[in-house]
Amino acid sequence: MTVQEKTQEKALHIDIPVKLTEVKDVFSIASLSFEGDLPAAVFHLGLIMDDIADWKAKCEVVAIFHTNAGHATLHDQAYNKDRNIATGNPYKKLLADLMKRGVQVELCGATARVHGWDNADTIPGIKINTDAMSRTTQLVQEGFVKISES
């Protein structure tokens, strides 16, 4: 039996439906944990963006990559150099899609400095902040809900 057949066979009843009119989330992504081969943080960002679209809610969603996840924000050449490989950044298309859907993706400035990266090393559209801790603090003080991903 396929997964699709199993899904159709057993209907899921949602006991606590959620529908928001406004979402202000900041994802703090310090390392990459995986759902199969997909980083869980990227999966979760896609999930909340799907929900926001379904709800037709206003949103501000910021994803801050730092510490051991900063490399996910690099363009192919910088990624290859940093990771000592030649395959390019496997996350660039996923992050570009999230940005098209309204997620603001940021790289921690402290992480960038430690690795010797600059703005030219990132995927187009990614912004570099002062550092992940001060940026997350700022957003939480502005009313964002902090979601920690590792």
Side-chain angles (χ1 to χ4, degrees):
M1 183 176 286
T2 68
V3 172
Q4 185 177 19
E5 290 168 334
K6 287 180 185 178
T7 303
Q8 291 172 350
E9 177 182 293
K10 191 172 185 179
L12 180 66
H13 172 74
I14 303 299
D15 296 306
I16 305 170
V18 176
K19 184 174 182 183
L20 303 173
T21 58
E22 183 177 359
V23 175
K24 291 175 72 171
D25 287 339
V26 55
F27 282 69
S28 175
I29 306 166
S31 61
L32 301 179
S33 298
F34 291 85
E35 296 275 345
D37 290 334
L38 180 65
V42 173
F43 172 76
H44 294 147
L45 281 159
L47 187 63
I48 194 65
M49 295 310 288
D50 289 344
D51 289 339
I52 290 165
D54 289 346
W55 301 330
K56 297 176 180 40
K58 290 181 7 183
C59 77
E60 291 179 76
V61 177
V62 179
I64 302 173
F65 287 81
H66 60 98
T67 317
N68 292 320
H71 64 279
T73 65
L74 301 176
H75 64 61
D76 285 338
Q77 293 79 12
Y79 186 93
N80 287 349
K81 182 179 176 187
D82 183 72
R83 307 304 281 181
N84 198 29
I85 61 170
T87 59
N89 183 343
Y91 314 114
K92 70 179 180 186
K93 185 176 179 323
L94 297 168
L95 294 183
D97 180 57
L98 287 169
M99 288 188 288
K100 285 179 191 168
R101 297 176 66 193
V103 176
Q104 180 168 307
V105 179
E106 299 180 7
L107 170 61
C108 168
T111 299
R113 280 189 292 280
V114 166
H115 288 274
W117 305 327
D118 63 20
N119 303 71
D121 292 321
T122 63
I123 297 165
I126 291 179
K127 299 176 190 292
I128 298 178
N129 59 42
T130 302
D131 63 70
M133 298 306 106
S134 59
R135 179 65 167 143
T136 302
T137 300
Q138 174 193 25
L139 292 171
V140 167
Q141 289 180 351
E142 291 176 3
F144 283 69
V145 172
K146 179 184 175 194
I147 299 173
S148 295
E149 291 278 358
S150 61

